Amino acid sequence: MTETFSGSFTQQEPIPDEAIEAALAVLRHGRLHRYNLAKGELGETALLEQEFAAQTGARYCLAVASGGYALATALRAVGVGPGDAVLTNAFTLAPVPGAIASVGARPVFVGVTESLTIDLDDLAAKAGAARVLMLSHMRGHLCDMDRLMQICDDAGITVIEDCAHTMGAAWNGVPSGRQGAVGCYSCQTYKHVNSGEGGLLVTDDEEIAARAVMLSGSYMLYERHLAAPGPEVFERIKYHTPNISGRMDNLRAAILRPQLRALDTQVTRWNERYQRIEAGLRGTPGLTVIERPEAETYVGSSIQFLLLDWAADKVQEALRRCAARGVELKWFGTPEPVGFTSRYDSWRYAESAPMPASDRVLAGIIDMRVPLTFSLEDCDLIARIIRAEVGAVHQS
Ligand SMILES: Cc1ncc(COP(=O)(O)O)c(C=O)c1O
């Protein structure tokens, strides 16, 4: 009998009861806007910021409307403006070059290695091209952060980390988002905490933090923040920083606070699933598993493997056969952006020179979500299906 999988790759877990209770309390009192506070009340959003700053060891934290908004705000806050070049990954998703384009700046793409991380030799070669790097930890893969920071420090490059896929991850024990000048996270439904939409920004730099608060739309109410610098810092920047509203609201913050408290447990559960799938795929002819560096603490909320140097029609055949058995795989080799996949040459508003070595890697990347609604047995079944179908196509 041919086994098929009938689960959903897009079904996340329900919002925890504690978060639902907290959301109901906000709905009942009606003060959803972050600055709408009763006497003595601190507010869910300000508390969320205080707690996330403590969790990541950051001095400052700002909660905003989305991860993409956090990225654009970080760019503005470090002084990127129209016409500026910003280094970024060739292997990432549309919100990253989109954030760069949203401030009128210009992405300069840096290649991807077979480890699915930014090509540090290519970065070193292009380091003179820009003074900011928006580093995307795409699909949760952390590059050698020590070497990356060395390259950037030597070249005077400010690093903004896109941690949409690395909330809860770490490099040598340092939480992802804490090596660059700014770390940006997404709280959108498919990420590691779920408020539908939402973003968080952390930094240790008081001026970046103050500008970010002003940019997000603080109406000069910055003293209601619990994880922002003191008023004297705002005095220096408040007349020169525009309001580009994109605040988080108390309802979303209420949903997020209990989820952040449970993050470590969730990371363990994700990694149990990831490791079951990885073990099931290891040794499949024609398939390359991505080895994770020892320094990396990752969050296995998705898994990638390579069908390196396969003909496009063979890749498509393997994907079709897996899909027929209920296993949804995404491919970064497709010339047209589909759903959540796209590649550097899909973004035609941004110039790019061909990168043959990266094209070879991108043409082989297969990507799969691992929602926590999958049981460990589901993960074993999914791995058996991929192994059988990829193996069959590879041999044919
Ligand atoms: C790599 C990456 N960066 C940034 C974002 C932006 O997050 P948001 O959807 O919250 O704007 C996403 C979202 O999909 C993403 O995948």
Side-chain angles (χ1 to χ4, degrees), residues 66-68 71 92-93 95-96 136 138 162 164-165 186 188 191 198:
S66 73
L71 293 173
T92 185
L93 291 175
V96 176
S136 185
M138 177 61 177
D162 164 30
H165 305 166
S186 167
Q188 178 243 68
K191 304 302 192 303

Side-chain angles (χ1 to χ4, degrees), residues 17-30 32 251 254-255:
D17 286 344
E18 197 192 343
I20 294 174
E21 290 305 320
L24 284 175
V26 173
L27 289 172
R28 290 200 172 102
H29 67 53
L32 273 70
L251 185 57
I255 294 173

